[in-house]
Amino acid sequence: MEILCKKYHILTYGCQMNIHESEKIAGILESMGYVYSESENDADVIVFNTCCIRENAEQKAEGNIGALKQLKKKNKNLIIAVCGCMTQQKGKADALIKKFPFIDIVFGTHNLENFKSLLILKSAQKKAVISVLDKEGEIIEGTPKKRTSFPNAWVNINYGCNNFCTYCIVPYVRGRERSRKAEDIVNECRQLIKDGYKEITLLGQNVNSYGKDLNKEDFSDLLEQVASIDGKFRLRFMTNHPKDLSPKLIETIKNNPKICHSIHLPVQSGSDRILKLMNRHYTREDYFNKVEMLKNGISDIAITTDVMVGFPTEDEGDFNDTFDLMKKVGFSGAFIFIYSKREGTPAAKMDGQVDEKIATERIMKLLEFQNEFNRNQSLKYVGKTIEILCEGYDEKKGKYLGRDEYGRMAYFDGEKDDIGKFIDVKIISSGGISLFGEKV
Ligand code: SF4
């Protein structure tokens, strides 16, 4: 006899933080007996895990929620839930219900762990359940997770942010910084290694602030503790604020072979005037000093960054400062964005919003430069043998793929058994940012 299980589908928007939170939502649903469905068409529960960091992510989510109206008409028992940082914005939960009256549950980032009780509550009442807390509560441990990126695993170490960069909505929707206890983090990591995971990425809006609220271990101490877990694995972390990058952290990376020699250090702008308006708490010179400190401490360090163009009042001189900084540092990767106006942030009220056409021209220049830089970097790999961690199979390329410790992606002819293993790959050719090679 076929046993019919209830199915769920999750749509995730935005950053790694959200992807990992969707793993928790999936874990909660599976602990209730739901099974994952590839398609929303036959799901009994559909969850939209939204993002509001950029306007287009928010628009995309709303467009997709709107498209579900027909599905809800066909299946009256379908539960549609919306969560994530978009719902934490002031008045947004009510506005969503008004715009899409077929939504059943809206919950925020501070009470994701309560999703099970919200589902139970919804089954007992007709009207929509709205549960968005405007203040963060205790950190709740033990939420089940359905991890989706073996052999890599994501582990939250702290939540929220105290920095209040003027363009950023995160402190308003994710609250103040709260750190998990080191013991809980280390235990989670130890279990992951036991379960066969080979790469752990410690996650936080600003990992360097870890522990400031606990007055015990700082971030370097935590890294050291995780790196001392037995077994062969890689340890990464993101994201860092340049102002908090310390000599102690550089020493810790240098002295622990399990910690990858790669760091994401968002610069945002190369102009002192714009950095001040952004409330970033460092100057261009400070940033160069941190880069020098990193390169002097760890000669093979790969530095990646985030760059924003079109911040209010950014003129040609400011943009050229950013361009110049990128050329001087030589980032091994850069996420380059056009400033996105977020209501409720100080930058949204600033005069001098930059014309979209000008911002687009600026981003194109930076992208062109960075792509060329990446191409040249990739060429230097040809003929070399690198150790990659095989992550999976790329259907389109018909090849297995994995990254080296610096985050560079390599494709090769392998086999299913390679997934989750460290493999030496000799690089034969390169294409853009990607490398192609063969197992040695
Ligand atoms: S450091 Fe700045 S950009 Fe990063 S999350 Fe905090 S406020 Fe946002």
Side-chain angles (χ1 to χ4, degrees), residues 161-165 167-171 205-206 241 268 280:
C161 183
N162 290 353
N163 285 319
F164 289 93
C165 302
Y167 53 83
C168 182
I169 199 144
V170 166
Q205 303 294 346
N206 179 16
H241 195 300
Q268 306 298 2
R280 290 290 288 174

Side-chain angles (χ1 to χ4, degrees), residues 44-181:
D44 300 283
V45 173
I46 301 175
V47 183
F48 285 84
N49 188 5
T50 64
C51 171
C52 63
I53 307 291
R54 285 172 223 292
E55 197 181 11
N56 55 4
E58 199 166 339
Q59 285 167 346
K60 202 167 155 196
E62 288 206 13
N64 290 346
I65 296 169
L68 285 195
K69 195 174 173 185
Q70 295 310 318
L71 218 53
K72 184 81 183 188
K73 268 188 191 165
K74 271 196 246 161
N75 177 6
K76 293 269 181 289
N77 295 322
L78 170 66
I79 301 280
I80 297 176
V82 184
C83 63
C85 58
M86 180 170 119
T87 66
Q88 281 293 152
Q89 296 173 95
K90 212 168 171 217
K92 192 71 186 184
D94 290 325
L96 277 169
I97 297 286
K98 204 169 166 201
K99 192 167 178 186
F100 307 108
F102 52 87
I103 291 176
D104 298 284
I105 302 171
V106 181
F107 61 107
T109 55
H110 300 324
N111 59 338
L112 180 153
E113 290 81 3
N114 295 338
F115 184 42
K116 181 176 174 177
S117 43
L118 301 179
L119 270 171
I120 294 169
L121 181 61
K122 176 60 204 168
S123 66
Q125 71 178 48
K126 226 172 161 226
K127 67 173 189 168
V129 172
I130 300 182
S131 180
V132 179
L133 312 179
D134 55 8
K135 185 136 184 48
E136 62 274 11
E138 297 276 295
I139 293 177
I140 299 173
E141 293 292 344
T143 306
K145 299 170 192 89
K146 192 211 172 188
R147 299 194 180 266
T148 50
S149 51
F150 180 85
N152 306 323
W154 308 90
V155 174
N156 288 120
I157 63 163
N158 54 358
Y159 303 93
C161 183
N162 290 353
N163 285 319
F164 289 93
C165 302
T166 54
Y167 53 83
C168 182
I169 199 144
V170 166
Y172 307 94
V173 293
R174 288 196 174 267
R176 299 295 80 73
E177 274 169 13
R178 291 93 73 201
S179 304
R180 286 179 71 196
K181 284 190 201 136

Side-chain angles (χ1 to χ4, degrees), residues 335-360:
F335 298 94
I336 308 171
F337 305 99
I338 294 180
Y339 162 76
S340 176
K341 186 175 174 177
R342 303 286 56 212
E343 287 312 329
T345 61
K349 295 192 207 99
M350 287 180 188
D351 291 333
Q353 302 286 326
V354 175
D355 183 80
E356 210 182 311
K357 191 167 161 271
I358 294 175
T360 306

